[in-house]
Amino acid sequence: SIQKSGRKQNPIFVTGHSLGGAVATLTALGLKIARLPVKALYAHAPPRVGDLAFRTSFLRSGIKSFRTINQRDPIPVFPPDIIVRRVIPTPYVDSFTQTLAFLAPNGRIRLNPNADLMKRERAPFLNPMDHDVATYVSRLRLGVPKKLRSRLPK
């Protein structure tokens, strides 16, 4: 119905957390294939999705993708490497994301770390709150320079 309205289409930003992040990833590509103006994908704590064909399609789509992973959250590394490597023979945890933010508890944000670094720095999952969206928001806030934090919405 968006295409049939004849109106100028505004850019579409697709976002989600956890399972919603996985669904957002699939939806972003589906919308792009339907020729809708998907500008970017923001996925927070999503489990891994897709196979090699999906990865190829996603990379060709031109969608800018951003993914955040809390250092202590186990959900973004499901399914485990032993399963993923049978489908996508790559050591990178999310090979179609352009920007991956790895969030440490102290507020340090590492952009696009390699898989070895992520495995070395992975902390044990001790608290269910490590997967909570509020934890992601607070860790992202900590990564913003103090002089700019006051501009962020509460």
Side-chain angles (χ1 to χ4, degrees), residues 13-147:
F13 296 85
V14 185
T15 187
H17 171 262
S18 192
L19 179 57
V23 171
T25 303
L26 300 171
T27 299
L29 183 58
L31 292 172
K32 191 72 171 188
I33 290 169
R35 301 186 191 277
L36 292 171
V38 177
K39 180 90 173 182
L41 163 69
Y42 295 89
H44 308 284
R48 303 182 219 187
V49 298
D51 59 8
L52 191 54
F54 176 84
R55 176 186 181 271
T56 301
S57 296
F58 198 96
L59 289 172
R60 287 184 181 158
S61 75
I63 298 169
K64 291 181 181 164
S65 58
F66 304 89
R67 185 173 190 234
T68 55
I69 296 175
N70 177 359
Q71 182 178 359
R72 294 183 175 166
D73 186 354
I75 301 304
V77 294
F78 284 115
D81 282 340
I82 195 164
I83 295 170
V84 171
R85 288 182 201 273
R86 292 174 190 243
V87 180
I88 305 173
T90 176
Y92 195 59
V93 77
D94 186 352
S95 57
F96 60 85
T97 298
Q98 286 100 357
T99 303
L100 174 68
F102 190 59
L103 311 176
N106 65 1
R108 183 174 186 192
I109 297 176
R110 292 188 185 222
L111 295 179
N112 299 320
N114 66 40
D116 291 335
L117 174 84
M118 289 180 60
K119 285 179 184 172
R120 275 196 317 274
E121 294 194 1
R122 203 111 189 72
F125 182 62
L126 302 173
N127 184 340
M129 289 303 293
D130 288 331
H131 184 66
D132 189 79
V133 71
T135 301
Y136 276 78
V137 171
S138 67
R139 297 258 170 91
L140 285 168
R141 280 181 165 287
L142 283 173
V144 173
K146 288 182 181 180
K147 63 183 179 185

Side-chain angles (χ1 to χ4, degrees), residues 3-18:
Q3 290 174 322
K4 293 178 184 177
S5 71
R7 289 186 258 162
K8 181 181 179 254
Q9 296 176 8
N10 291 325
I12 298 171
F13 296 85
V14 185
T15 187
H17 171 262
S18 192

